[in-house]
Amino acid sequence: MFIRKVMSTATRQIRQIQQINRISGIRLMSEMAESVPQEEQELQKIEKSINQVTLLGRCGGEPQKRGNDNHPVVTFSVATHTNYKYDDGNTVQRTDWHRIVVFRPNLRESIYRYMRKGQRVLIQGKLYYGEVKDEDGKPKPTTSIIAEDVVMFQTYKE
């Protein structure tokens, strides 16, 4: 009987402490928010995020220069493959095509000069969604990868 009474008293005290900590925490957070300048509060609301793509595949065609003198860009396509094996033993290969755009000056020139169709390539960049107008003037969604780094693997001929 004595042990039960001590345990219930201890349990009540623990709950009271937890409640006080919660209330104090809330009070402390609100006091901190009031003491932080408005500009810092707005900066704290900005979340970090990641938009990162890594592809390993083969160049689908010769790189092309696009854009104009003020905003030059080099574009090319990359093919990646996924293999599936069905229960009946048949294997199927699916090919996905990716549009790569390069804005960085030195990288853009190197790719235009040295990359060839069929060459193995590793691309690191970020995903970009945009739209272009088709021949009828209707907006058409596009997806591209803006390359930040490209590694071209040398092809050896036997």
Side-chain angles (χ1 to χ4, degrees):
M1 180 87 166
F2 177 74
I3 294 175
R4 262 193 246 166
K5 193 172 184 179
V6 170
M7 291 295 286
S8 66
T9 304
T11 305
R12 251 186 276 123
Q13 288 176 346
I14 290 171
R15 285 186 185 144
Q16 287 175 347
I17 291 170
Q18 289 173 340
Q19 188 175 10
I20 290 169
N21 285 341
R22 268 192 301 242
I23 292 169
S24 297
I26 291 169
R27 226 182 258 144
L28 183 60
M29 294 292 277
S30 63
E31 289 169 8
M32 286 175 52
E34 290 172 7
S35 66
V36 175
Q38 182 66 26
E39 295 124 15
E40 284 188 40
Q41 287 180 21
E42 290 176 16
L43 286 174
Q44 289 174 354
K45 292 179 187 177
I46 297 173
E47 290 183 339
K48 292 190 177 201
S49 62
I50 297 174
N51 178 356
Q52 186 174 17
V53 176
T54 302
L55 297 175
L56 176 63
R58 294 206 178 263
C59 181
E62 302 296 324
Q64 299 176 355
K65 283 189 177 181
R66 301 274 173 122
N68 55 37
D69 291 338
N70 294 334
H71 298 95
V73 64
V74 168
T75 64
F76 62 98
S77 61
V78 169
T80 58
H81 305 287
T82 306
N83 296 315
Y84 298 95
K85 189 170 187 178
Y86 291 106
D87 292 336
D88 62 3
N90 290 332
T91 303
V92 176
Q93 185 178 67
R94 177 187 164 169
T95 303
D96 292 314
W97 289 94
H98 311 277
R99 181 173 188 254
I100 313 298
V101 294
V102 185
F103 294 103
R104 292 189 175 188
N106 293 334
L107 185 59
R108 182 180 62 227
E109 296 306 316
S110 295
I111 287 170
Y112 186 72
R113 187 179 246 169
Y114 299 112
M115 187 178 292
R116 296 294 166 248
K117 179 179 178 178
Q119 187 171 9
R120 197 122 159 106
V121 63
L122 174 77
I123 289 114
Q124 290 183 321
K126 61 185 177 181
L127 201 53
Y128 174 77
Y129 298 101
E131 60 180 38
V132 294
K133 293 186 179 179
D134 63 8
E135 296 169 354
D136 300 330
K138 295 179 184 175
K140 179 181 170 185
T142 63
T143 304
S144 301
I145 293 153
I146 299 174
E148 295 174 356
D149 194 18
V150 177
V151 177
M152 296 175 276
F153 296 96
Q154 190 173 10
T155 55
Y156 297 100
K157 296 194 178 190
E158 296 179 18

Short mmCIF file of all heavy atoms in Angstrom, two decimals, residues 92-152:
data_model
loop_
_atom_site.label_atom_id
_atom_site.label_comp_id
_atom_site.label_asym_id
_atom_site.label_seq_id
_atom_site.Cartn_x
_atom_site.Cartn_y
_atom_site.Cartn_z
N VAL A 92 13.16 -7.13 -70.93
CA VAL A 92 12.82 -5.96 -71.74
C VAL A 92 13.67 -4.79 -71.26
O VAL A 92 13.88 -4.62 -70.06
CB VAL A 92 11.32 -5.60 -71.59
CG1 VAL A 92 10.98 -4.34 -72.34
CG2 VAL A 92 10.45 -6.75 -72.03
N GLN A 93 14.16 -4.01 -72.22
CA GLN A 93 14.94 -2.83 -71.87
C GLN A 93 14.13 -1.59 -72.23
O GLN A 93 13.67 -1.45 -73.36
CB GLN A 93 16.27 -2.82 -72.62
CG GLN A 93 17.17 -1.67 -72.20
CD GLN A 93 18.50 -1.70 -72.91
OE1 GLN A 93 18.55 -1.51 -74.11
NE2 GLN A 93 19.56 -1.96 -72.16
N ARG A 94 13.97 -0.70 -71.26
CA ARG A 94 13.26 0.56 -71.50
C ARG A 94 14.29 1.68 -71.56
O ARG A 94 15.17 1.77 -70.71
CB ARG A 94 12.28 0.82 -70.36
CG ARG A 94 11.59 2.14 -70.53
CD ARG A 94 10.76 2.50 -69.34
NE ARG A 94 10.44 3.93 -69.45
CZ ARG A 94 9.58 4.54 -68.72
NH1 ARG A 94 8.94 3.88 -67.80
NH2 ARG A 94 9.37 5.82 -68.88
N THR A 95 14.15 2.55 -72.55
CA THR A 95 15.06 3.68 -72.71
C THR A 95 14.32 4.97 -72.38
O THR A 95 13.23 5.21 -72.88
CB THR A 95 15.59 3.75 -74.15
OG1 THR A 95 16.24 2.52 -74.46
CG2 THR A 95 16.56 4.90 -74.32
N ASP A 96 14.93 5.79 -71.52
CA ASP A 96 14.41 7.11 -71.20
C ASP A 96 15.35 8.15 -71.81
O ASP A 96 16.58 8.03 -71.70
CB ASP A 96 14.33 7.33 -69.69
CG ASP A 96 13.28 6.45 -69.03
OD1 ASP A 96 12.15 6.38 -69.56
OD2 ASP A 96 13.59 5.85 -67.99
N TRP A 97 14.78 9.18 -72.41
CA TRP A 97 15.57 10.24 -73.02
C TRP A 97 15.47 11.50 -72.16
O TRP A 97 14.39 11.87 -71.70
CB TRP A 97 15.07 10.54 -74.43
CG TRP A 97 15.41 9.43 -75.36
CD1 TRP A 97 14.61 8.37 -75.70
CD2 TRP A 97 16.65 9.23 -76.04
NE1 TRP A 97 15.28 7.54 -76.55
CE2 TRP A 97 16.54 8.03 -76.78
CE3 TRP A 97 17.85 9.93 -76.10
CZ2 TRP A 97 17.57 7.55 -77.57
CZ3 TRP A 97 18.87 9.45 -76.89
CH2 TRP A 97 18.73 8.27 -77.61
N HIS A 98 16.60 12.15 -71.97
CA HIS A 98 16.68 13.34 -71.12
C HIS A 98 17.29 14.48 -71.94
O HIS A 98 18.29 14.29 -72.62
CB HIS A 98 17.57 13.07 -69.91
CG HIS A 98 17.21 11.80 -69.20
ND1 HIS A 98 16.20 11.71 -68.27
CD2 HIS A 98 17.72 10.55 -69.32
CE1 HIS A 98 16.12 10.48 -67.82
NE2 HIS A 98 17.03 9.74 -68.44
N ARG A 99 16.68 15.65 -71.81
CA ARG A 99 17.20 16.85 -72.50
C ARG A 99 18.13 17.57 -71.54
O ARG A 99 17.74 17.96 -70.45
CB ARG A 99 16.04 17.75 -72.89
CG ARG A 99 16.47 18.99 -73.61
CD ARG A 99 15.23 19.75 -74.10
NE ARG A 99 15.66 20.83 -74.94
CZ ARG A 99 15.65 22.11 -74.57
NH1 ARG A 99 15.19 22.44 -73.39
NH2 ARG A 99 16.06 23.04 -75.40
N ILE A 100 19.37 17.77 -71.98
CA ILE A 100 20.39 18.42 -71.16
C ILE A 100 20.69 19.79 -71.76
O ILE A 100 20.86 19.91 -72.97
CB ILE A 100 21.69 17.58 -71.13
CG1 ILE A 100 21.41 16.11 -70.86
CG2 ILE A 100 22.68 18.18 -70.13
CD1 ILE A 100 20.77 15.80 -69.55
N VAL A 101 20.74 20.81 -70.89
CA VAL A 101 21.11 22.16 -71.33
C VAL A 101 22.31 22.62 -70.50
O VAL A 101 22.40 22.34 -69.32
CB VAL A 101 19.94 23.16 -71.22
CG1 VAL A 101 18.83 22.81 -72.17
CG2 VAL A 101 19.41 23.24 -69.80
N VAL A 102 23.23 23.29 -71.17
CA VAL A 102 24.47 23.73 -70.51
C VAL A 102 24.63 25.22 -70.74
O VAL A 102 24.68 25.68 -71.88
CB VAL A 102 25.71 22.98 -71.07
CG1 VAL A 102 26.95 23.35 -70.29
CG2 VAL A 102 25.49 21.48 -71.05
N PHE A 103 24.71 25.97 -69.63
CA PHE A 103 24.88 27.41 -69.68
C PHE A 103 26.29 27.85 -69.30
O PHE A 103 26.74 28.90 -69.73
CB PHE A 103 23.88 28.11 -68.74
CG PHE A 103 22.46 27.95 -69.16
CD1 PHE A 103 21.62 27.05 -68.52
CD2 PHE A 103 21.94 28.70 -70.20
CE1 PHE A 103 20.30 26.90 -68.90
CE2 PHE A 103 20.61 28.56 -70.60
CZ PHE A 103 19.80 27.65 -69.94
N ARG A 104 26.98 27.09 -68.48
CA ARG A 104 28.32 27.49 -68.00
C ARG A 104 29.28 27.60 -69.18
O ARG A 104 29.46 26.65 -69.94
CB ARG A 104 28.84 26.48 -67.00
CG ARG A 104 28.05 26.50 -65.72
CD ARG A 104 28.70 25.66 -64.68
NE ARG A 104 27.98 25.82 -63.43
CZ ARG A 104 28.38 25.35 -62.28
NH1 ARG A 104 29.49 24.65 -62.22
NH2 ARG A 104 27.66 25.52 -61.19
N PRO A 105 29.95 28.76 -69.32
CA PRO A 105 30.76 29.03 -70.51
C PRO A 105 31.81 27.97 -70.85
O PRO A 105 31.83 27.45 -71.96
CB PRO A 105 31.40 30.38 -70.21
CG PRO A 105 30.49 31.03 -69.24
CD PRO A 105 29.93 29.92 -68.41
N ASN A 106 32.71 27.65 -69.94
CA ASN A 106 33.78 26.69 -70.27
C ASN A 106 33.23 25.28 -70.50
O ASN A 106 33.66 24.57 -71.40
CB ASN A 106 34.84 26.66 -69.17
CG ASN A 106 35.61 27.97 -69.10
OD1 ASN A 106 35.71 28.70 -70.09
ND2 ASN A 106 36.13 28.29 -67.94
N LEU A 107 32.28 24.89 -69.69
CA LEU A 107 31.66 23.58 -69.84
C LEU A 107 30.91 23.49 -71.16
O LEU A 107 31.00 22.50 -71.89
CB LEU A 107 30.72 23.32 -68.65
CG LEU A 107 30.06 21.96 -68.58
CD1 LEU A 107 31.09 20.84 -68.51
CD2 LEU A 107 29.13 21.91 -67.37
N ARG A 108 30.21 24.55 -71.49
CA ARG A 108 29.44 24.61 -72.74
C ARG A 108 30.36 24.44 -73.95
O ARG A 108 30.08 23.64 -74.85
CB ARG A 108 28.72 25.97 -72.79
CG ARG A 108 27.86 26.19 -73.97
CD ARG A 108 27.19 27.55 -73.93
NE ARG A 108 28.19 28.62 -73.97
CZ ARG A 108 28.20 29.67 -73.16
NH1 ARG A 108 27.29 29.82 -72.23
NH2 ARG A 108 29.13 30.58 -73.28
N GLU A 109 31.48 25.13 -73.96
CA GLU A 109 32.41 25.04 -75.09
C GLU A 109 33.07 23.66 -75.17
O GLU A 109 33.25 23.11 -76.26
CB GLU A 109 33.47 26.14 -75.00
CG GLU A 109 32.90 27.54 -75.12
CD GLU A 109 32.05 27.75 -76.37
OE1 GLU A 109 32.47 27.30 -77.47
OE2 GLU A 109 30.98 28.35 -76.25
N SER A 110 33.43 23.08 -74.04
CA SER A 110 34.06 21.75 -74.04
C SER A 110 33.10 20.70 -74.57
O SER A 110 33.49 19.83 -75.35
CB SER A 110 34.49 21.36 -72.62
OG SER A 110 35.50 22.20 -72.16
N ILE A 111 31.86 20.77 -74.15
CA ILE A 111 30.87 19.79 -74.61
C ILE A 111 30.65 19.94 -76.11
O ILE A 111 30.63 18.95 -76.85
CB ILE A 111 29.56 19.95 -73.83
CG1 ILE A 111 29.77 19.42 -72.42
CG2 ILE A 111 28.41 19.23 -74.51
CD1 ILE A 111 28.66 19.71 -71.47
N TYR A 112 30.50 21.17 -76.58
CA TYR A 112 30.26 21.38 -78.00
C TYR A 112 31.44 20.89 -78.84
O TYR A 112 31.26 20.34 -79.91
CB TYR A 112 29.99 22.86 -78.28
CG TYR A 112 29.59 23.11 -79.70
CD1 TYR A 112 28.34 22.74 -80.16
CD2 TYR A 112 30.47 23.72 -80.60
CE1 TYR A 112 27.97 22.95 -81.47
CE2 TYR A 112 30.11 23.95 -81.91
CZ TYR A 112 28.86 23.55 -82.35
OH TYR A 112 28.49 23.75 -83.65
N ARG A 113 32.62 21.06 -78.31
CA ARG A 113 33.83 20.71 -79.07
C ARG A 113 34.15 19.22 -79.02
O ARG A 113 34.56 18.64 -80.03
CB ARG A 113 34.99 21.51 -78.50
CG ARG A 113 36.26 21.38 -79.27
CD ARG A 113 37.33 22.22 -78.64
NE ARG A 113 37.68 23.28 -79.56
CZ ARG A 113 38.42 24.30 -79.27
NH1 ARG A 113 38.88 24.44 -78.05
NH2 ARG A 113 38.74 25.20 -80.16
N TYR A 114 33.97 18.56 -77.87
CA TYR A 114 34.49 17.20 -77.70
C TYR A 114 33.45 16.08 -77.59
O TYR A 114 33.78 14.92 -77.82
CB TYR A 114 35.40 17.14 -76.47
CG TYR A 114 36.58 18.06 -76.58
CD1 TYR A 114 36.69 19.18 -75.76
CD2 TYR A 114 37.58 17.84 -77.53
CE1 TYR A 114 37.77 20.04 -75.87
CE2 TYR A 114 38.67 18.68 -77.65
CZ TYR A 114 38.76 19.79 -76.82
OH TYR A 114 39.82 20.64 -76.94
N MET A 115 32.24 16.37 -77.22
CA MET A 115 31.27 15.29 -77.03
C MET A 115 30.74 14.79 -78.38
O MET A 115 30.46 15.58 -79.27
CB MET A 115 30.11 15.73 -76.15
CG MET A 115 29.18 14.56 -75.82
SD MET A 115 27.82 15.00 -74.75
CE MET A 115 28.70 15.34 -73.26
N ARG A 116 30.61 13.46 -78.48
CA ARG A 116 30.12 12.85 -79.71
C ARG A 116 28.95 11.92 -79.42
O ARG A 116 28.82 11.39 -78.32
CB ARG A 116 31.23 12.05 -80.40
CG ARG A 116 32.38 12.90 -80.87
CD ARG A 116 31.92 13.84 -82.00
NE ARG A 116 32.89 14.88 -82.25
CZ ARG A 116 32.71 16.17 -81.99
NH1 ARG A 116 31.60 16.59 -81.47
NH2 ARG A 116 33.63 17.06 -82.27
N LYS A 117 28.15 11.69 -80.43
CA LYS A 117 27.01 10.79 -80.33
C LYS A 117 27.48 9.39 -79.90
O LYS A 117 28.49 8.89 -80.41
CB LYS A 117 26.30 10.70 -81.67
CG LYS A 117 25.12 9.77 -81.68
CD LYS A 117 24.46 9.74 -83.03
CE LYS A 117 23.31 8.75 -83.00
NZ LYS A 117 22.60 8.72 -84.27
N GLY A 118 26.77 8.79 -78.93
CA GLY A 118 27.10 7.46 -78.45
C GLY A 118 28.12 7.44 -77.32
O GLY A 118 28.34 6.39 -76.72
N GLN A 119 28.72 8.58 -77.02
CA GLN A 119 29.74 8.64 -75.96
C GLN A 119 29.08 8.49 -74.60
O GLN A 119 28.01 9.04 -74.34
CB GLN A 119 30.48 9.97 -76.06
CG GLN A 119 31.66 10.10 -75.14
CD GLN A 119 32.47 11.35 -75.45
OE1 GLN A 119 32.07 12.21 -76.23
NE2 GLN A 119 33.62 11.45 -74.82
N ARG A 120 29.74 7.74 -73.73
CA ARG A 120 29.26 7.56 -72.36
C ARG A 120 29.51 8.86 -71.60
O ARG A 120 30.57 9.47 -71.72
CB ARG A 120 30.02 6.41 -71.72
CG ARG A 120 29.37 5.88 -70.50
CD ARG A 120 29.09 4.39 -70.72
NE ARG A 120 28.94 3.74 -69.43
CZ ARG A 120 27.76 3.37 -68.98
NH1 ARG A 120 26.69 3.57 -69.70
NH2 ARG A 120 27.65 2.79 -67.82
N VAL A 121 28.50 9.28 -70.80
CA VAL A 121 28.60 10.58 -70.14
C VAL A 121 27.90 10.53 -68.77
O VAL A 121 26.91 9.83 -68.58
CB VAL A 121 27.98 11.68 -71.05
CG1 VAL A 121 26.51 11.45 -71.30
CG2 VAL A 121 28.21 13.05 -70.52
N LEU A 122 28.48 11.25 -67.82
CA LEU A 122 27.91 11.41 -66.48
C LEU A 122 27.54 12.87 -66.31
O LEU A 122 28.39 13.75 -66.51
CB LEU A 122 28.93 11.00 -65.41
CG LEU A 122 28.50 11.25 -63.97
CD1 LEU A 122 27.51 10.18 -63.53
CD2 LEU A 122 29.70 11.23 -63.04
N ILE A 123 26.28 13.11 -65.97
CA ILE A 123 25.79 14.48 -65.82
C ILE A 123 25.30 14.69 -64.40
O ILE A 123 24.58 13.86 -63.86
CB ILE A 123 24.63 14.79 -66.79
CG1 ILE A 123 25.17 14.88 -68.21
CG2 ILE A 123 23.98 16.11 -66.48
CD1 ILE A 123 24.69 13.84 -69.07
N GLN A 124 25.71 15.81 -63.81
CA GLN A 124 25.15 16.24 -62.53
C GLN A 124 24.55 17.61 -62.74
O GLN A 124 25.20 18.50 -63.33
CB GLN A 124 26.22 16.29 -61.44
CG GLN A 124 26.70 14.92 -61.05
CD GLN A 124 27.71 14.97 -59.93
OE1 GLN A 124 28.56 15.85 -59.91
NE2 GLN A 124 27.62 14.03 -59.02
N GLY A 125 23.33 17.77 -62.29
CA GLY A 125 22.66 19.05 -62.50
C GLY A 125 21.39 19.14 -61.72
O GLY A 125 21.20 18.44 -60.72
N LYS A 126 20.49 20.01 -62.21
CA LYS A 126 19.21 20.18 -61.53
C LYS A 126 18.07 20.13 -62.53
O LYS A 126 18.23 20.48 -63.70
CB LYS A 126 19.19 21.48 -60.73
CG LYS A 126 19.38 22.73 -61.53
CD LYS A 126 19.46 23.94 -60.62
CE LYS A 126 19.73 25.19 -61.44
NZ LYS A 126 19.83 26.37 -60.61
N LEU A 127 16.93 19.70 -62.04
CA LEU A 127 15.74 19.55 -62.86
C LEU A 127 15.08 20.90 -63.05
O LEU A 127 14.99 21.70 -62.11
CB LEU A 127 14.79 18.60 -62.13
CG LEU A 127 13.72 17.88 -62.91
CD1 LEU A 127 14.31 17.14 -64.11
CD2 LEU A 127 13.01 16.91 -62.00
N TYR A 128 14.63 21.16 -64.28
CA TYR A 128 13.99 22.43 -64.59
C TYR A 128 12.73 22.18 -65.40
O TYR A 128 12.77 21.45 -66.39
CB TYR A 128 14.96 23.34 -65.38
CG TYR A 128 14.30 24.61 -65.85
CD1 TYR A 128 14.08 25.67 -64.97
CD2 TYR A 128 13.88 24.76 -67.16
CE1 TYR A 128 13.47 26.83 -65.38
CE2 TYR A 128 13.27 25.93 -67.59
CZ TYR A 128 13.06 26.95 -66.70
OH TYR A 128 12.45 28.11 -67.10
N TYR A 129 11.63 22.77 -64.97
CA TYR A 129 10.37 22.68 -65.69
C TYR A 129 10.07 24.02 -66.30
O TYR A 129 10.18 25.06 -65.64
CB TYR A 129 9.22 22.30 -64.75
CG TYR A 129 9.40 20.96 -64.10
CD1 TYR A 129 9.85 20.85 -62.80
CD2 TYR A 129 9.13 19.79 -64.80
CE1 TYR A 129 10.02 19.62 -62.19
CE2 TYR A 129 9.30 18.55 -64.20
CZ TYR A 129 9.74 18.47 -62.90
OH TYR A 129 9.91 17.26 -62.31
N GLY A 130 9.70 24.02 -67.57
CA GLY A 130 9.37 25.27 -68.25
C GLY A 130 8.31 25.00 -69.29
O GLY A 130 7.67 23.95 -69.30
N GLU A 131 8.13 25.96 -70.17
CA GLU A 131 7.20 25.75 -71.28
C GLU A 131 7.65 26.55 -72.49
O GLU A 131 8.28 27.59 -72.37
CB GLU A 131 5.76 26.08 -70.90
CG GLU A 131 5.48 27.48 -70.46
CD GLU A 131 4.02 27.69 -70.10
OE1 GLU A 131 3.39 26.80 -69.51
OE2 GLU A 131 3.51 28.78 -70.42
N VAL A 132 7.34 25.99 -73.65
CA VAL A 132 7.61 26.66 -74.92
C VAL A 132 6.29 26.72 -75.69
O VAL A 132 5.35 25.97 -75.39
CB VAL A 132 8.68 25.91 -75.76
CG1 VAL A 132 10.02 25.94 -75.06
CG2 VAL A 132 8.26 24.49 -76.04
N LYS A 133 6.23 27.61 -76.66
CA LYS A 133 5.01 27.69 -77.47
C LYS A 133 5.20 26.89 -78.74
O LYS A 133 6.22 26.99 -79.41
CB LYS A 133 4.70 29.15 -77.78
CG LYS A 133 4.31 29.93 -76.54
CD LYS A 133 3.87 31.33 -76.84
CE LYS A 133 3.49 32.00 -75.53
NZ LYS A 133 3.09 33.37 -75.72
N ASP A 134 4.20 26.07 -79.06
CA ASP A 134 4.27 25.27 -80.28
C ASP A 134 3.91 26.14 -81.49
O ASP A 134 3.73 27.36 -81.37
CB ASP A 134 3.40 24.02 -80.18
CG ASP A 134 1.91 24.34 -80.03
OD1 ASP A 134 1.53 25.52 -80.17
OD2 ASP A 134 1.14 23.41 -79.77
N GLU A 135 3.79 25.52 -82.66
CA GLU A 135 3.52 26.26 -83.90
C GLU A 135 2.20 27.02 -83.86
O GLU A 135 2.04 28.05 -84.49
CB GLU A 135 3.52 25.29 -85.08
CG GLU A 135 4.86 24.64 -85.30
CD GLU A 135 4.79 23.48 -86.28
OE1 GLU A 135 3.67 23.12 -86.72
OE2 GLU A 135 5.84 22.94 -86.60
N ASP A 136 1.24 26.49 -83.08
CA ASP A 136 -0.07 27.14 -82.97
C ASP A 136 -0.09 28.22 -81.88
O ASP A 136 -1.12 28.86 -81.66
CB ASP A 136 -1.15 26.11 -82.65
CG ASP A 136 -1.25 25.04 -83.74
OD1 ASP A 136 -0.96 25.37 -84.92
OD2 ASP A 136 -1.62 23.90 -83.42
N GLY A 137 1.02 28.40 -81.17
CA GLY A 137 1.10 29.40 -80.11
C GLY A 137 0.61 28.90 -78.76
O GLY A 137 0.50 29.66 -77.82
N LYS A 138 0.31 27.60 -78.68
CA LYS A 138 -0.16 27.02 -77.42
C LYS A 138 1.05 26.64 -76.56
O LYS A 138 2.04 26.12 -77.08
CB LYS A 138 -0.99 25.78 -77.68
CG LYS A 138 -2.28 26.06 -78.42
CD LYS A 138 -3.05 24.79 -78.66
CE LYS A 138 -4.29 25.05 -79.50
NZ LYS A 138 -4.97 23.80 -79.83
N PRO A 139 0.98 26.90 -75.25
CA PRO A 139 2.11 26.53 -74.39
C PRO A 139 2.23 25.01 -74.26
O PRO A 139 1.24 24.30 -74.14
CB PRO A 139 1.77 27.17 -73.05
CG PRO A 139 0.32 27.46 -73.09
CD PRO A 139 -0.08 27.57 -74.52
N LYS A 140 3.48 24.55 -74.32
CA LYS A 140 3.76 23.11 -74.22
C LYS A 140 4.79 22.93 -73.10
O LYS A 140 5.84 23.57 -73.12
CB LYS A 140 4.34 22.62 -75.55
CG LYS A 140 4.68 21.17 -75.58
CD LYS A 140 5.27 20.79 -76.93
CE LYS A 140 5.83 19.41 -76.88
NZ LYS A 140 6.51 19.04 -78.12
N PRO A 141 4.49 22.08 -72.12
CA PRO A 141 5.43 21.91 -71.01
C PRO A 141 6.71 21.21 -71.45
O PRO A 141 6.68 20.33 -72.31
CB PRO A 141 4.66 21.07 -70.00
CG PRO A 141 3.60 20.38 -70.78
CD PRO A 141 3.30 21.25 -71.95
N THR A 142 7.83 21.61 -70.86
CA THR A 142 9.11 20.97 -71.14
C THR A 142 9.81 20.64 -69.82
O THR A 142 9.57 21.30 -68.81
CB THR A 142 10.05 21.88 -71.96
OG1 THR A 142 10.34 23.05 -71.19
CG2 THR A 142 9.44 22.27 -73.28
N THR A 143 10.64 19.64 -69.87
CA THR A 143 11.47 19.27 -68.74
C THR A 143 12.91 19.17 -69.22
O THR A 143 13.17 18.51 -70.23
CB THR A 143 11.03 17.92 -68.13
OG1 THR A 143 9.64 18.01 -67.79
CG2 THR A 143 11.82 17.58 -66.90
N SER A 144 13.83 19.81 -68.52
CA SER A 144 15.24 19.78 -68.89
C SER A 144 16.07 19.56 -67.65
O SER A 144 15.62 19.78 -66.53
CB SER A 144 15.66 21.10 -69.53
OG SER A 144 14.89 21.39 -70.67
N ILE A 145 17.30 19.17 -67.88
CA ILE A 145 18.28 19.08 -66.80
C ILE A 145 19.33 20.14 -67.10
O ILE A 145 19.97 20.11 -68.16
CB ILE A 145 18.88 17.69 -66.69
CG1 ILE A 145 17.79 16.74 -66.23
CG2 ILE A 145 20.06 17.67 -65.73
CD1 ILE A 145 17.93 15.35 -66.63
N ILE A 146 19.49 21.08 -66.19
CA ILE A 146 20.52 22.11 -66.34
C ILE A 146 21.80 21.52 -65.78
O ILE A 146 21.91 21.29 -64.58
CB ILE A 146 20.13 23.40 -65.61
CG1 ILE A 146 18.83 23.95 -66.21
CG2 ILE A 146 21.25 24.42 -65.71
CD1 ILE A 146 18.28 25.15 -65.47
N ALA A 147 22.76 21.27 -66.66
CA ALA A 147 24.01 20.61 -66.26
C ALA A 147 24.90 21.57 -65.49
O ALA A 147 25.14 22.70 -65.92
CB ALA A 147 24.74 20.09 -67.49
N GLU A 148 25.37 21.10 -64.36
CA GLU A 148 26.34 21.85 -63.56
C GLU A 148 27.72 21.23 -63.69
O GLU A 148 28.72 21.91 -63.52
CB GLU A 148 25.88 21.91 -62.11
CG GLU A 148 24.60 22.69 -61.96
CD GLU A 148 24.03 22.66 -60.56
OE1 GLU A 148 24.58 21.98 -59.68
OE2 GLU A 148 23.00 23.33 -60.35
N ASP A 149 27.77 19.94 -64.00
CA ASP A 149 29.04 19.25 -64.22
C ASP A 149 28.80 18.09 -65.18
O ASP A 149 27.78 17.41 -65.08
CB ASP A 149 29.61 18.73 -62.90
CG ASP A 149 31.07 18.32 -63.03
OD1 ASP A 149 31.73 18.72 -64.01
OD2 ASP A 149 31.55 17.58 -62.15
N VAL A 150 29.71 17.90 -66.11
CA VAL A 150 29.60 16.81 -67.08
C VAL A 150 30.95 16.13 -67.18
O VAL A 150 31.98 16.77 -67.33
CB VAL A 150 29.19 17.35 -68.48
CG1 VAL A 150 29.15 16.25 -69.51
CG2 VAL A 150 27.84 18.05 -68.40
N VAL A 151 30.93 14.79 -67.09
CA VAL A 151 32.14 14.00 -67.26
C VAL A 151 31.94 13.16 -68.53
O VAL A 151 31.00 12.37 -68.60
CB VAL A 151 32.41 13.07 -66.04
CG1 VAL A 151 33.62 12.21 -66.28
CG2 VAL A 151 32.56 13.90 -64.78
N MET A 152 32.82 13.37 -69.49
CA MET A 152 32.77 12.59 -70.74
C MET A 152 33.78 11.46 -70.64
O MET A 152 34.96 11.70 -70.37
CB MET A 152 33.08 13.50 -71.93
CG MET A 152 32.06 14.58 -72.15
SD MET A 152 32.53 15.74 -73.47
CE MET A 152 33.58 16.85 -72.56
#
